Amino acid sequence: MTDCIFCKIVNGDIPSSTIYEDDVVKAFLDLSQTTPGHTLVIPKKHVADIFAYDDELASAVFARIPKIARAIKASNPHIIGMNIVNNNGEIAEQTVFHSHFHLIPRYDNNDDFSIHFGDHSDQYNANELNQMAANIKKHLEE
Ligand code: AMP
Ligand code: ZN
């Protein structure tokens, strides 16, 4: 897509600090550097979000993430964990609509990444969870 900033990075029209690329993905440092080493992994093919992947592209992209994650971790002995984040849709804080995975190295409890999972487990019984699961499951069978 001509007006997509990440397609421009793939094409070399916009510079990036690239750490890995092959025929399927490009991995480059996120300008925001939420923590040092914060990297984006993107498919070279323009897909807007997770909902747009076919199985083949998903397999190829996901298959490449662990080795990139290992290289980032190996680059700094202070990295003791990593959050991998993929935002989909404005409500989920997606701002660039070319799918990408954030690899955010973690250093300690005071580094600049936080994630909050609400816990509403007290609001659902097993029957309600099973109904919810069945409702989602039927869409996998479509
Ligand atoms: P998201 O909010 O999940 O869509 O993330 C988009 C990310 O792209 C942000 O973390 C930005 O810092 C990053 N970003 C935007 N433009 C560039 C660029 N030219 N080079 C590297 N990272 C970028
Ligand atoms: Zn694009």
Side-chain angles (χ1 to χ4, degrees), residues 5-6 9 14-17 28-34 38 40 85-89 92-98 100-102:
I5 187 166
F6 285 177
I9 286 176
I14 291 179
S16 64
S17 296
F28 54 95
L29 296 181
D30 189 306
L31 287 179
S32 70
Q33 288 298 289
T34 297
H38 178 181
L40 298 175
V85 179
N86 168 234
N87 300 327
N88 297 282
E93 315 263 340
Q94 185 177 7
T95 60
V96 176
F97 291 88
H98 179 134
H100 51 278
F101 296 86
H102 295 260

Side-chain angles (χ1 to χ4, degrees), residues 1-14 28 42-48 94-100:
M1 272 180 68
T2 49
D3 60 346
C4 169
I5 187 166
F6 285 177
C7 283
K8 287 180 180 163
I9 286 176
V10 167
N11 295 334
D13 298 332
I14 291 179
F28 54 95
I42 70 170
K44 286 192 166 176
K45 178 181 175 184
H46 181 94
V47 283
Q94 185 177 7
T95 60
V96 176
F97 291 88
H98 179 134
S99 178
H100 51 278

Side-chain angles (χ1 to χ4, degrees), residues 16-105:
S16 64
S17 296
T18 297
I19 64 171
Y20 176 82
E21 76 178 297
D22 59 23
D23 52 331
V24 177
V25 300
K26 190 171 178 90
F28 54 95
L29 296 181
D30 189 306
L31 287 179
S32 70
Q33 288 298 289
T34 297
T35 65
H38 178 181
T39 295
L40 298 175
V41 180
I42 70 170
K44 286 192 166 176
K45 178 181 175 184
H46 181 94
V47 283
D49 53 32
I50 198 71
F51 309 115
Y53 282 76
D54 60 29
D55 291 356
E56 188 184 353
L57 184 64
S59 302
V61 172
F62 279 93
R64 285 157 170 82
I65 288 178
K67 74 175 174 187
I68 298 168
R70 282 192 292 270
I72 296 166
K73 186 168 185 292
S75 73
N76 187 330
H78 298 294
I79 296 174
I80 56 173
M82 182 175 288
N83 287 91
I84 297 181
V85 179
N86 168 234
N87 300 327
N88 297 282
E90 274 180 49
I91 189 66
E93 315 263 340
Q94 185 177 7
T95 60
V96 176
F97 291 88
H98 179 134
S99 178
H100 51 278
F101 296 86
H102 295 260
L103 277 52
I104 305 175

